[in-house]
Amino acid sequence: MTSLSTVEFENVHKSYGKKHAVDGMSMRVEQGEVLCLLGPNGAGKSTAINMMLGLIKPDSGKVRLFGEDPGMSAARAQIGVIPQDTDFPPALKSREIIELVRSHYAQPIAVDQLIEAFLLEGIIDRYTSGFSGGERRRLALALAFCGNGKAIFLDEPTTGLDQKSRQAFWEYARDYAGNGASFIITTHHLDEIENIATRICLLVDGKIRYSGSADEIRSKVNRRKIRFFSNQKPEIKGHLVEDAGDGRWQINSSDSDVVVRNIIQRKIEFSALEILPCTLEEAVDTLFEDQTSNTTGA
Amino acid sequence: MLQRYKSHFKTTLLSLFRAPGYWVPTVLFPVMLYSMFGASVSNAAISSFVMASFCAYAVIGVGFYQFGVSIAQDRETSWERFQRVLPRVFWPKLLSRLFAAGIFALIAILLVVAAAEIMAKPSASAFAVIKMILVALAIVLPFSLFGVALGYWTSARAAVPIANMIFLPLAYLGGLWTHPSKLPEVIQKISEFTPTRHAAEILWAVIGEFPVPSTSIYWLAGYSALFALLAWFGYRRDEARRYG
């Protein structure tokens, strides 16, 4: 049995005037994958996602959603999308909005279940006009999931959420993904997706520059943090020493052995030396720097 | 799936009824105009026709504004944009809007009829009045299509002023406020080509219980086709501009 990819891009191009928003992108998102799209503003993330959703037609190339043209109802019946900007109809209550969206799907999630998952108890029977940013976001998330879709599209899902709602949301999302659903996520909070994303794609100038798991990205970058306490700022040739506060210093390096040897040879007084792997965010930043310098150099 | 239609009808009506600042003036305006300018006719036979004219004015206004203005304003919101990714959303949304326009039109007509019965005591039979109300409701359709077309060809800010610029002259030209025979001669000539005139001709025939002129039906059918076409092209143009 062959199973259809959730999303299929084949040499997709889309320009606005002279700007190539998406420039020959090819990729697949398989069922059960949690894909995170990263990139600076204008890298083509929104354009790519809008094409996956059938809101924009590509200039050339092929886009498929569950094997169908993304504009087709059969494809759209299988997805859930988080509303952007979230200006809901002011004269409707949360429950009425959720029920309106649910009514479009064959096997929607029960409203009570959504209330529990997205902490909606206090806002379910209220008009949305007085909602805080976090309350709007929780309702928006409930709308993305309420259709029980096989693929969920989340653009900056946790913006405006407090710590508790954030945790509750990712917990729910992990369970949901565990049941075989795919996610396509864009976010700036890399620490949050580290444990859920199965693949991360870096977009620069409308092209996928790198694609891999969080671990692959970290090992590709191979950068470590060396931290220690010292009474005065140490000088280490060829390395930038950052002040980490409270008499602590930090050096980022792709060769931590050389740095440590250097510290000892120079007889620098130190204590509590640590060598730490870089975070995903730091690894991604490094990759982006390399990519941009490559493109400007070329 | 009936559920989708039910949900859209429900939320569309709730949204409108919960905004009394919108719907109260919409349904009260025709009866107010009627009370000021139409109710003073003393001849019972003529007052039936005047009542029908203001009913035409009421349905045309509701269809035109409820659709034209609201579509133009809504399509620029992000909520509208979100709804585009829902499966099979086009028809439930459109039909629920039409349904809402029908309900508001019905309320507006009933108010005009009630005011007429109290103040002018028109001679038309109850049967003729009921028939006239039903035919008037059918007339919502062509003017709703006109409204949709206008909604897609104008911006949210321009929709209201443009709708006024079209609707008020059309009501005057169509003889909804003054009988066409009392209009200046040039205006009488123009009147024969307006959709409002033909809508009024149909309602006058129904209330007066004489045969509906088939030319008016053809004219209105022709206008309906034209408005539907304009609405369709406006919709396509908007899609291409926004999402092309």
Side-chain angles (χ1 to χ4, degrees), chain B residues 19-29 104:
Chain B
Y22 165 74
W23 70 267
V24 171
T26 305
V27 298
L28 282 187
F29 199 65
F104 283 112

Side-chain angles (χ1 to χ4, degrees), chain B residues 71-90:
Chain B
I71 282 190
Q73 288 174 340
D74 282 0
R75 78 194 149 93
E76 292 183 8
T77 64
S78 66
W79 176 244
E80 200 65 19
R81 183 189 158 79
F82 166 69
Q83 287 188 77
R84 292 178 36 86
V85 300
L86 299 178
R88 304 179 188 89
V89 72
F90 182 82

Side-chain angles (χ1 to χ4, degrees), chain B residues 15-223:
Chain B
S15 296
L16 289 169
F17 275 111
R18 283 176 185 164
Y22 165 74
W23 70 267
V24 171
T26 305
V27 298
L28 282 187
F29 199 65
V31 69
M32 185 184 85
L33 277 190
Y34 172 78
S35 306
M36 293 192 297
F37 305 114
S40 54
V41 179
S42 52
N43 181 316
I46 292 176
S47 74
S48 298
F49 293 107
V50 174
M51 174 180 76
S53 301
F54 278 87
C55 285
Y57 172 77
V59 289
I60 292 167
V62 170
F64 195 54
Y65 284 94
Q66 163 59 24
F67 261 74
V69 176
S70 66
I71 282 190
Q73 288 174 340
D74 282 0
R75 78 194 149 93
E76 292 183 8
T77 64
S78 66
W79 176 244
E80 200 65 19
R81 183 189 158 79
F82 166 69
Q83 287 188 77
R84 292 178 36 86
V85 300
L86 299 178
R88 304 179 188 89
V89 72
F90 182 82
W91 287 107
K93 249 167 78 89
L94 191 70
L95 290 180
S96 64
R97 284 203 134 114
L98 191 58
F99 181 68
I103 293 209
F104 283 112
L106 180 64
I107 299 172
I109 306 170
L110 289 177
L111 288 173
V112 171
V113 171
E117 293 296 339
I118 293 165
M119 293 189 274
K121 311 234 177 329
S123 61
S125 68
F127 180 67
V129 171
I130 290 169
K131 234 169 56 178
M132 187 269 296
I133 290 173
L134 294 176
V135 175
L137 281 180
I139 286 173
V140 173
L141 183 67
F143 290 95
S144 292
L145 288 172
F146 194 5
V148 176
L150 185 82
Y152 278 117
W153 287 95
T154 57
S155 71
R157 282 166 67 86
V160 178
I162 292 178
N164 287 336
M165 285 294 292
I166 293 174
F167 178 60
L168 296 178
L170 271 185
Y172 167 72
L173 288 171
L176 302 186
W177 295 328
T178 320
H179 191 266
S181 61
K182 303 246 170 62
L183 294 170
E185 214 169 301
V186 190
I187 304 291
Q188 278 188 43
K189 278 268 165 260
I190 301 171
S191 174
E192 287 163 27
F193 299 101
T194 61
T196 34
R197 170 69 180 274
H198 294 289
E201 290 285 351
I202 292 170
L203 292 188
W204 291 331
V206 174
I207 200 83
E209 297 185 87
F210 47 85
V212 174
S214 47
T215 45
S216 287
I217 294 180
Y218 296 145
W219 268 100
L220 216 49
Y223 268 116

Side-chain angles (χ1 to χ4, degrees), chain A residues 254-267:
Chain A
S254 51
D255 198 340
S256 50
D257 300 343
V258 168
V259 175
V260 173
R261 227 173 271 137
N262 218 314
I263 292 171
I264 294 167
Q265 279 167 3
R266 283 163 183 259
K267 299 201 166 78

